[in-house]
């Protein structure tokens, strides 16, 4: 691809030779001839000066330091993301329903949608234009998949649940499982029928083997632009605000409300029935047991130590309240 | 539905107008006309007095405060759970084997059972009356599914494993995977063939994408009435006692034995080869590295702090054993 | 099976009666007549002397203490692992493609391979000799499965991903999901197309519902002999060295490099872009936020305490930097 054609698609301008051929993305350090790379700030100026890339996505201020052709842009990383789909196009399958799929006669599948091998689309489900239901997938009764949304193989979207447009759901994700609602009784745990839905907005990414429980009565809500990594557990009636990003292995217990534009690090655990403000950033592996009312960055993970030192630390922590008392006694004497 | 008909099904009595229509469940605060709600204690008396519900499940002592018709009951929350299935009946699929399913000729499927699209039932498997095997599910050789048990779409029940009656297994759950048993050898890890089973009792709930490994030699055992949330990992030869409830994202390592009536909070991690007594309650995100011999509530999660304060805390914890020595020195001087 | 036949297969020798019949494995304490057991060291000498097993795998030094026939071996546990496959052979399905499978005409399936019911093998995929693709599995375009590798039911191996020979992948595992690569932009998160692969070596075990993301540009690499337990999350571009063992529920963030012969305990969380040296052993539930440059054992988990004591401990930890200051003040006075 010619660099000026690429710049044209991005509505940006070229500095240097627009006839430069680019056909692959690469990082500054690993790029070779024919590669397009990117640089976000002066911090990487040495790597920039030495890159072997044929072209670079670059902010105005660094153009003079580029040893190759350049596309000038305010947000090189976002431009790089766009280029990743232009230089490496998605292998969208051909439209149509596989002869081996099971599509209920009362389901509505747009002619431009694709239903893969052994996929099930149940009664009254609606699959919109250019949506893709991967092989071995399941779309339950009255469920809805928005335009241009792609479910990779082996995704479950349960009855009455919905996902909007331009979404992407990785394999093994389960959307609409019945949540953990049980009442104690004299005969043991009595299940509460979970009759709410999962409602997912537009441009939402759901990672592999992530689970999202349907609401107990009301819905579980995932707003537009939310991105969810793999193996996240979202319990019933959770609400997640726009453009919040959640890394892998996070667990969120029931009825918790998470604001907009949050960034939740991997393996955080968030208890139920709390609220997290907009713009909160959580370090990986934090435990959140109370509401967070102010935006900002928070953490709770423990330091890793060589095991012999750890044993002493562990023992000392177990007795820390005693240590506090000893210090108080010293202060009084 | 008329309130007196509902009360009749619960074998309970109505205070007020038995002709009241109820057709939906709702919480005290969100209930509208036509809704049935519940209240468990005097703690919620203000919400009770102001509820717009048409009827309430209520203990005797609070009847006078109900602004609407009432069903009197000792356990309103358990009654509410029962009502959730009466007012919102389960959408059980019709009995019979889908024409697209693969049922081995030596499998035994009761005529009242339902086998979904693309489900596989292998040789010598037994599916009892009113059981449901969801679409894309797998029931291995010699596996058994008890009466009225429902496997949602995409569940795997591996060879020789069993689940009892009135169970419910959410999508993506894997029951009977081969556990992590390897012997070190000069050529690397040597796998130990895992030949035990998973045996699950009656009235057990298994959450979405939860995994339960088969025993190495003996069985992995899940007793009657156990409820397991999503994304739980249960390793080989674990035993879990009756009516124990385990929240999402818990990991339990091999051969650990958990008692009856325990409540294990979300994201707890429990090492292998230990025993946990009956009636133990674990706070969310606790790490359990030793046996627990007494019932009671335990915790180990760390406090969440703003990140600048957290960094100092983290540093101080790393040096806590040194701090202990300094205090000892002060005490001696 | 006669003991001397078994010893012959292991290329080992019998002490005592080689005509002894053995037909099952069992532990020292639970073994009965007909069982083969093993003992690794003198630590178990009392259990050895009292075992009811018919035969024992035993180091030379303990032969005199065996109350039964014995096979003498340097590594009884590894020999036991070998015996587990001889006494309890794997139920490998018959070769051939199920009539209900969907194998693309441009896929290459070796005649000795087995493709299960409703499995999908996409265009240009290659399935080598004696490989098994379980029911409801998915092997994407250009993906490759090595000889003697077995994918249990409902495994996803995405486009262009590869697994070597003699591997074993448990149900629900997803290999080759698109990782969590997004650039912030004025219109929200912009996805970066993930175009790398997952490359898995020989003799690799992948646990149930474990997820391994494909690389963003370069590959995610799992070396020969790596063993991965259930519900592990491996992000894009992670590299894992030979014979490293990782227990269940571990999360590894993007681009982290883990050495050879490491042992990572269950539920550890490892941040992205760090390196872990060869031979590192991590206690269960540790959080790793920095590179580890020296082999050795490390830990970070918190002590479990009864909840009232825990509350005081938790409060004291939150104020530990203040406590440090108080001690410093005392030291100065």
């Amino acid at each position: 691809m010619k660099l000026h054609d690429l710049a044209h698609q991005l509505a940006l301008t070229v500095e240097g030779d627009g006839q430069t051929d680019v056909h692959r993305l690469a990082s500054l350090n690993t790029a070779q001839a024919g590669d397009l790379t990117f640089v976000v700030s002066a911090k990487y100026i040495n790597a920039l000066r030495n890159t072997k890339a044929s072209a670079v996505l670059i902010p105005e201020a660094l153009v003079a330091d580029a040893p190759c052709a350049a596309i000038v842009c305010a947000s090189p990383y976002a431009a790089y993301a766009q280029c990743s789909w232009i230089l490496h196009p998605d292998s969208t399958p051909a439209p149509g329903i596989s002869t081996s799929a099971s599509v209920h006669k009362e389901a509505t599948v747009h002619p431009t949608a694709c239903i893969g091998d052994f996929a099930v689309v149940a009664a009254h489900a609606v699959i919109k234009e250019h949506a893709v239901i991967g092989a071995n997938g399941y779309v339950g009764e009255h469920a809805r998949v928005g335009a241009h949304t792609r479910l990779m193989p082996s995704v479950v979207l349960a009855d009455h649940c919905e996902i909007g447009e331009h979404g992407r759901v990785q394999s093994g994700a389960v959307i609409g499982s019945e949540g953990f609602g049980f009442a104690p009784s004299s005969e043991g745990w009595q299940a509460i029928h979970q009759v709410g839905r999962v409602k997912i907005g537009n441009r939402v990414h759901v990672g592999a083997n992530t689970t999202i429980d349907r609401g107990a009565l009301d819905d579980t809500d995932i707003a537009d632009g939310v991105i969810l990594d793999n193996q996240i557990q979202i319990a019933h009636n959770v609400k997640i605000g726009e453009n919040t990003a959640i890394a892998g292995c996070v667990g969120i217990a029931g009825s918790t409300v998470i604001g907009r534009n949050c960034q939740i690090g991997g393996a955080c655990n968030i208890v139920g029935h709390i609220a997290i403000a907009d713009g909160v950033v959580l370090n990986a592996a934090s435990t959140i047991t109370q509401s967070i009312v102010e935006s900002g960055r928070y953490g709770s993970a423990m330091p890793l130590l060589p095991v012999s030192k750890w044993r002493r630390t562990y023992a000392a922590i177990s007795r820390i309240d005693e240590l506090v008392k000893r210090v108080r006694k010293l202060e009084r004497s």
Side-chain angles (χ1 to χ4, degrees), chain A:
Chain A
M1 187 168 200
K2 298 294 177 197
L3 194 63
H4 71 81
D5 292 334
L6 184 60
H8 183 73
Q9 284 197 44
L10 301 171
L12 295 169
T13 54
V14 173
E15 285 283 326
D17 184 3
Q19 294 300 316
T20 304
D21 279 309
V22 288
H23 36 79
R24 224 181 58 120
L25 294 176
S27 65
L28 270 177
N29 293 319
T30 63
Q32 300 297 324
D35 290 352
L36 173 70
T37 189
F38 75 102
V39 63
V40 292
S41 76
K43 190 173 150 191
Y44 302 98
I45 200 154
N46 283 330
L48 171 64
R49 286 171 180 159
N50 294 305
T51 189
K52 293 176 183 152
S54 290
V56 62
L57 297 156
I58 201 164
E60 182 78 54
L62 295 175
V63 168
D65 294 286
C68 56
I71 293 178
V72 184
C73 44
S75 304
Y77 193 40
Y80 174 85
Q82 284 182 274
C83 291
S84 73
W85 297 92
I86 298 169
L87 292 178
H88 305 277
D90 202 8
S91 62
T92 318
I97 299 173
S98 162
T99 55
S100 75
S102 171
V103 176
H104 196 278
K105 64 180 190 295
E106 291 176 76
T108 304
V109 177
H110 194 275
T112 59
C114 168
I115 312 295
D117 290 343
F118 312 125
V120 176
V121 180
H124 310 294
V126 177
I127 314 292
K128 306 288 277 188
E129 56 267 33
H130 302 290
V132 177
I133 310 303
N136 304 116
Y138 182 83
V139 178
E141 294 183 10
H142 297 275
R144 298 175 72 92
V145 178
H148 300 277
T149 285
R150 184 165 182 175
L151 277 51
M152 306 306 269
S154 290
V155 166
V156 172
L157 180 72
D159 297 359
H160 296 274
C161 295
E162 301 184 5
I163 181 166
E165 301 182 353
H166 293 282
R168 208 160 168 108
V169 182
Q170 301 298 316
S171 292
V174 176
I175 298 170
S177 38
E178 296 170 321
F180 205 57
F182 294 86
S185 81
S186 51
E187 293 101 52
W189 297 104
Q190 173 87 36
I192 296 164
H193 197 193
Q194 305 289 303
V195 297
R197 297 172 300 168
V198 177
K199 281 193 68 180
I200 298 180
N202 299 322
R203 303 180 316 283
V204 170
H205 176 102
V206 178
N209 283 350
T210 281
T211 50
I212 307 177
D213 284 337
R214 60 195 319 124
L217 281 170
D218 304 325
D219 296 333
T220 302
D221 271 319
I222 314 292
D224 291 348
V226 168
I227 53 174
L228 303 173
D229 197 359
N230 297 353
Q231 300 207 33
I232 291 170
Q233 151 65 359
I234 298 177
H236 49 194
N237 299 104
V238 165
K239 316 279 181 203
I240 301 181
E242 281 176 37
N243 294 324
T244 281
I246 305 185
C249 306
V250 166
I252 306 173
S255 300
T256 280
V257 177
I258 296 180
R260 300 174 178 199
N261 302 310
C262 294
Q263 293 184 35
I264 300 184
C268 285
N269 292 298
I270 305 178
V271 302
H273 298 275
I274 65 171
I276 294 182
D278 293 350
V280 165
V281 179
L282 294 170
N283 280 359
S286 298
T287 301
I288 297 87
T289 59
Q290 295 176 7
S291 289
I292 302 178
V293 295
E294 279 189 63
S295 72
R297 182 182 272 270
Y298 299 83
S300 82
M302 286 290 297
L304 187 79
L305 298 168
V307 80
S308 59
K309 182 164 170 61
W310 177 251
R311 280 206 199 95
R312 296 192 303 272
T313 303
Y314 188 96
I317 289 170
S318 305
R319 290 191 299 264
I320 192 172
D321 60 328
E322 184 202 321
L323 185 69
V324 171
K325 283 180 201 155
R326 286 161 63 188
V327 170
R328 197 176 301 140
K329 194 174 166 191
L330 284 166
E331 287 169 334
R332 283 171 184 166
S333 68

